[in-house]
Amino acid sequence: MLEIGILGSLRVHRDGGDVTPSAPKLRQVLALLVLNANTLVSVDQLCEELWEDRPPLSALTTLQTYIYQLRRRLRLATGQTGAPFASCPPSGRPALLTRVGGYELQLEDKQAVDAYRFEQLVERGRGEHRAGLGRQAADTLAEALGIWQGQALVDVTGSRRLAAWSTQLEEHRRNAMERRFAIELELGRHHAVLDELSTAFRAHPTHEAFADQLMRALHRGGRRPEALDVFRTLRTRLVDDLGLEPSAALQQLHQEVLADRGRPAAPPRSGTGRPVPQRTALLSPAQLPADVGDFVGRQEELAELEGYLGATRRAESGTRVVEVHGAPGVGKTAFAIRAAHRLRRYFPDGQLYVDLTAVGHGTAQLTEVLAAALGSLGLRRDELPTGLDDLSRLLRSWTADRRVLVVVDDVLAASQLRALIPGGSGCAVIATNRYRAHSLGMGRKVVLSALSTDDSLRLYNRVAGGRHWQDEPAAAHELLRMCEGLPLVLRAVAARLAARPGWSAARLAERLRSNQSVLLGLPAGTQSLAGTVESSYRHLPEPHRKLLHLLAERNRRCWRADDAAKLLSRRAEDAETLLEDLVDVHLVDELPVSAEDRESGAAPAYAVPRLTRHALLLLRGEEAPPSAPRHEPAGTALLTHPGLAG
C-alpha cells in the first residue's frame, strides 16, 4: 500500500516502510506528479520546475533517470511493456506511466495522498453544512484540518510551479478554517474555538475574516476590550504594511462592539466567511468560437457527425463522443467548430468550449480550465472544489438533466478528455485529438485527410481576395502543390497574396521554392505549420524524436521497419513500434499496401510527409534542398486537375 503526505513535510510510505526520496530534484519531480495524480504532467512542466528557464543540454536524459529512480524506489508499475505511449498498469497497483509528451502518476485510490483526503473531507463538510447538519459539518472540517502537519511541502525546494501549488494549498486550508470557525460561531460554540481563532489571527494578522470571527467570539464571551484590541492590531498592520483601511463591514463590526450592542449578528456569508455576492446562473451558455467563414469541403464527415450526434437519444444510449484526428494543419479545430455550429439546435441547454492548448503547453492546469468552464455556468469560483475528480463530478451533475454540447480542443491524453465528459444522456462531446493512441474507447472517430484538389482551389479563391487561380494557372498549380492540401498552409499562402496586391502568384511561388522556412512560418491567424508540427513533436519521448530526425535527414521516399532498425541499431520489432506510434501522432504516414504486397506478406512502408520533414529539419536549424522528392498525401492529385496540367 502506498501512502503519500505533502501537507507538511514530504512523506512516502510503502507497505509500512519509509521510502521517501532524499534527493532534492527527485522530491520536486515526485511532488509535481503527486499534485497532478491521474493526469498528464508534460516534460516542459517538469523541466521548468527543475531548471526554470535554464535547462541543461542533458535535461531529457536526466529527467528520464529521475523517473526511473522514482519507479524503482517507490516500486511503481510502468504499464504494459513495449508501449511507450502507455496503457494500463495492473489493476489497483500505483503506476508511473510514460505518456506522449510527459508522465502520469496513476493512483487508483487518490485517498493515498493526504491532500486529496483533505479536499474530500472539506467538500463533505460543505455538503453537510448546506444540508443543515452544522455540528456534523464542523466535526468533519476539524477532521480535515487535523490532517495537516505543517506548511504544505515545507521541505521541498520548489520553483514557480510548486510554490504556486503550495500557496494554493495554504489558501484552501485558510478557507476550511474560516468555514469551520463560521459554523462553530453559528452553533454558539465561540468558547470552543477562541484559542484556535487567536492562533489563526496571530499567524495571519492582516486576514480580515479571522479578525472578524475573533472579534465576534471575544465579544460574545464578554471580552469587549480584547475584541477592540484585535481591530486595532489589524488596522495597524493593514495601514503600515499595505496602506489600506479595514473593510466597511469590519469597521461596522468595530462600531457595534464599541457601542456594546449585545452580540453582533453574523452577516450572510459564504462557507468561507465572506459576503455572498448575488449572481444569476447562465442557463444556456453559448461559448463556441465564431464559425470559419471560408470553410470548404468535409461534407461527408460533417453529415456523418451530425447524423450521429443529432440523432434522437434514448436514456440508455449515454453521452455521445466524437474524436477528430488528423495531421498538423489539416483543420481539426475549424472542422469541430463548423460541426458544433451546425448542431446547436440539438442542444438547447447550451454549448461549452474548452481549449486545452495552454494545458498542453504547461501554462495552465486542467483543474484551472475546468474550474473556469464551471464558473462560466454561473457557479461561484470560490465555492468550487479544487480537485479534478470533484470538479469533474460537478460538471456531470450540472449537465445530468440538460442537453449540452461540449467542444474540447487540443486533447493530449484520454485522461484529460475523460474529466470533461458531461453526465447527461442528452449531451454530446466533440474533441480534437493530436494522438490516436490516446483516444477514449468509446464513441466515434473522424480522421481528416488532406483537402481534395477541388476543395483546395475553392479555399485558395475564397482567401486570396479576388485573385482567382485562373489568373495565373501555372503559378497557382505550384502553390497548391506546395501546400499539399493542408488548409492551414493553403489559407496562409492565399492570405499572403491577398495582403500583397503588388505580388504575383509566380513571385510568391519562387520565394517559397527557394526558402521552405518561409512557407512553414507563414501564419494563418495565430498559427503556422511549423508551430503546429513543433507542438506535436515536443510532446514525444526521446526515442521517437531521434527516429524522426534520422528519417528526415535522409530524405527517402519510404521506409520499412528493418531500414529504421538499422538507423537505430535496434530490433526491427522495436523500430516498427516506434514507426506505428509516429503514425498515431500523424507525423509519419503509413503508405497504402497494394494487393500484391498484401498477398506476399510484405512489411508495411512508411513515409515522412514533405512539409513535416521540412518542419523537422527547421527545428534543428537545417533546411532541406528545394528539389527534395515530394510525398503526395492521399487524395491530393493536384497535377491532374483540369486546367492546371498545362
Side-chain angles (χ1 to χ4, degrees):
M1 180 179 178
L2 185 69
E3 296 180 352
I4 303 174
I6 58 176
L7 302 182
S9 60
L10 180 66
R11 308 172 305 283
V12 186
H13 291 84
R14 186 71 194 253
D15 300 328
D18 189 348
V19 292
T20 308
S22 57
K25 296 292 188 186
L26 275 185
R27 295 164 71 87
Q28 282 181 267
V29 173
L30 177 59
L32 199 57
L33 291 168
V34 169
L35 288 165
N36 293 274
N38 295 341
T39 58
L40 174 75
V41 181
S42 71
V43 169
D44 289 346
Q45 290 173 306
L46 289 163
C47 288
E48 180 186 357
E49 177 58 40
L50 291 170
W51 299 290
E52 296 187 340
D53 298 326
R54 299 177 298 278
L57 294 176
S58 60
L60 290 176
T61 303
T62 304
L63 178 58
Q64 290 167 355
T65 302
Y66 293 154
I67 295 297
Y68 168 75
Q69 291 175 351
L70 286 175
R71 283 172 174 156
R72 185 183 62 178
R73 183 173 183 84
L74 276 59
R75 301 198 299 279
L76 298 172
T78 61
Q80 295 179 0
T81 303
F85 294 149
S87 47
C88 297
S91 178
R93 184 177 175 190
L96 181 47
L97 303 178
T98 301
R99 294 296 197 192
V100 177
Y103 300 93
E104 177 183 331
L105 178 63
Q106 196 166 91
L107 300 175
E108 186 169 289
D109 183 9
K110 292 177 71 173
Q111 295 299 299
V113 181
D114 60 357
Y116 294 109
R117 293 200 304 275
F118 167 75
E119 295 289 356
Q120 188 174 62
L121 284 169
V122 169
E123 187 61 25
R124 192 176 87 193
R126 289 168 58 180
E128 291 167 347
H129 188 214
R130 288 192 295 266
L133 305 174
R135 189 176 298 274
Q136 189 172 333
D139 292 343
T140 300
L141 290 170
E143 180 184 354
L145 291 164
I147 294 175
W148 286 72
Q149 299 185 22
Q151 182 181 342
L153 298 170
V154 65
D155 58 352
V156 177
T157 302
S159 185
R160 286 170 292 193
R161 260 175 220 292
L162 284 182
W165 273 106
S166 179
T167 301
Q168 185 179 12
L169 287 168
E170 290 292 340
E171 179 65 20
H172 296 167
R173 183 188 192 184
R174 284 194 295 271
N175 289 343
M177 293 168 68
E178 287 178 41
R179 186 182 296 274
R180 181 192 161 223
F181 293 149
I183 295 172
E184 296 282 16
L185 292 176
E186 288 175 11
L187 296 172
R189 294 163 55 174
H190 48 278
H191 292 294
V193 293
L194 258 177
D195 289 344
E196 293 177 79
L197 266 172
S198 297
T199 300
F201 179 63
R202 285 196 299 272
H204 307 282
T206 59
H207 198 78
E208 292 196 349
F210 289 154
D212 178 299
Q213 292 168 330
L214 181 57
M215 289 175 67
R216 292 177 189 277
L218 289 168
H219 189 212
R220 290 178 187 180
R223 299 162 64 175
R224 190 162 63 107
E226 293 172 69
L228 295 172
D229 189 55
V230 170
F231 181 84
R232 283 193 294 270
T233 300
L234 172 76
R235 183 180 183 278
T236 299
R237 291 298 298 269
L238 285 175
V239 172
D240 291 349
D241 295 353
L242 303 173
L244 298 174
E245 289 287 344
S247 66
L250 205 60
Q251 292 188 47
Q252 181 180 350
L253 174 61
H254 178 238
Q255 293 301 317
E256 292 177 4
V257 175
L258 277 173
D260 196 16
R261 297 175 188 164
R263 291 163 38 165
R269 294 181 180 275
S270 68
T272 61
R274 300 185 181 92
V276 181
Q278 298 299 314
R279 184 174 179 184
T280 303
L282 299 176
L283 299 181
S284 298
Q287 300 177 0
L288 297 179
D291 198 0
V292 181
D294 53 22
F295 188 92
V296 299
R298 315 291 193 199
Q299 295 308 311
E300 291 184 7
E301 293 90 342
L302 287 169
E304 176 188 352
L305 191 149
E306 186 171 357
Y308 175 60
L309 296 184
T312 303
R313 288 163 172 72
R314 300 185 304 275
E316 64 272 15
S317 64
T319 301
R320 299 184 185 183
V321 179
V322 171
E323 293 183 71
V324 183
H325 298 267
V330 82
K332 298 183 290 293
T333 300
F335 173 83
I337 292 172
R338 168 56 61 95
H341 277 280
R342 288 178 50 157
L343 287 161
R344 283 188 62 186
R345 66 183 185 277
Y346 297 107
F347 300 96
D349 294 316
Q351 307 86 41
L352 301 178
Y353 180 77
V354 183
D355 187 354
L356 298 184
T357 302
V359 177
H361 288 167
T363 57
Q365 298 292 329
L366 184 56
T367 51
E368 298 169 3
V369 174
L370 182 49
L374 291 168
S376 70
L377 302 177
L379 303 175
R380 285 176 49 87
R381 290 293 296 271
D382 59 351
E383 288 290 316
L384 293 177
T386 54
L388 181 61
D389 292 342
D390 292 331
L391 289 168
S392 184
R393 281 192 288 269
L394 186 56
L395 174 67
R396 293 196 296 272
S397 297
W398 192 89
T399 56
D401 298 315
R402 292 178 168 93
R403 297 178 63 185
V404 176
L405 175 63
V406 181
V407 179
V408 187
D409 195 19
D410 209 7
V411 176
L412 277 175
S415 57
Q416 292 180 342
L417 182 54
R418 193 175 293 112
L420 298 166
I421 301 294
S425 60
C427 298
V429 177
I430 302 174
T432 67
N433 196 323
R434 286 182 181 268
Y435 309 111
R436 269 185 296 213
H438 267 336
S439 61
L440 295 173
M442 60 185 291
R444 300 279 181 89
K445 310 292 185 290
V446 175
V447 180
L448 300 181
S449 58
L451 290 179
S452 68
T453 303
D454 288 338
D455 288 336
S456 296
L457 287 170
R458 279 196 291 271
L459 180 57
Y460 175 88
N461 288 335
R462 289 185 182 183
V463 180
R467 310 276 290 277
H468 197 277
W469 67 267
Q470 290 179 335
D471 297 340
E472 299 176 85
H477 158 252
E478 186 173 3
L479 287 174
L480 294 178
R481 185 179 62 185
M482 289 177 180
C483 296
E484 296 187 350
L486 296 177
L488 176 64
V489 188
L490 282 162
R491 190 172 282 111
V493 168
R496 176 55 61 95
L497 275 179
R500 298 288 193 276
W503 284 24
S504 65
R507 178 182 177 184
L508 179 58
E510 180 181 359
R511 183 172 183 188
L512 299 181
R513 190 189 317 120
S514 62
N515 188 348
Q516 288 289 327
S517 62
V518 175
L519 176 63
L520 296 168
L522 282 178
T526 59
Q527 293 182 310
S528 68
L529 184 64
T532 57
V533 170
E534 192 273 339
S535 294
S536 295
Y537 165 84
R538 66 190 173 89
H539 289 294
L540 293 174
E542 183 59 28
H544 299 75
R545 296 190 190 193
K546 180 179 179 181
L547 178 56
L548 262 180
H549 280 304
L550 290 172
L551 298 179
E553 287 168 355
R554 282 151 181 81
N555 190 25
R556 283 175 50 170
R557 284 188 176 275
C558 67
W559 296 85
R560 298 190 187 274
D562 53 354
D563 300 322
K566 293 175 183 176
L567 293 178
L568 295 170
S569 299
R570 300 176 68 165
R571 297 183 307 163
E573 294 84 353
D574 295 336
E576 187 169 18
T577 298
L578 294 176
L579 286 167
E580 290 171 353
D581 292 337
L582 292 173
V583 171
D584 281 339
V585 299
H586 307 286
L587 294 175
V588 167
D589 288 340
E590 184 173 351
L591 301 180
V593 180
S594 67
E596 294 178 359
D597 286 343
R598 191 179 298 111
E599 291 177 3
S600 64
Y606 305 88
V608 182
R610 184 182 67 88
L611 289 178
T612 300
R613 175 178 175 271
H614 282 292
L616 292 168
L617 293 174
L618 191 62
L619 285 173
R620 299 190 65 173
E622 305 171 17
E623 183 56 79
S627 58
R630 179 173 55 89
H631 165 59
E632 284 279 8
T636 321
L638 295 173
L639 290 172
T640 61
H641 190 274
L644 289 182

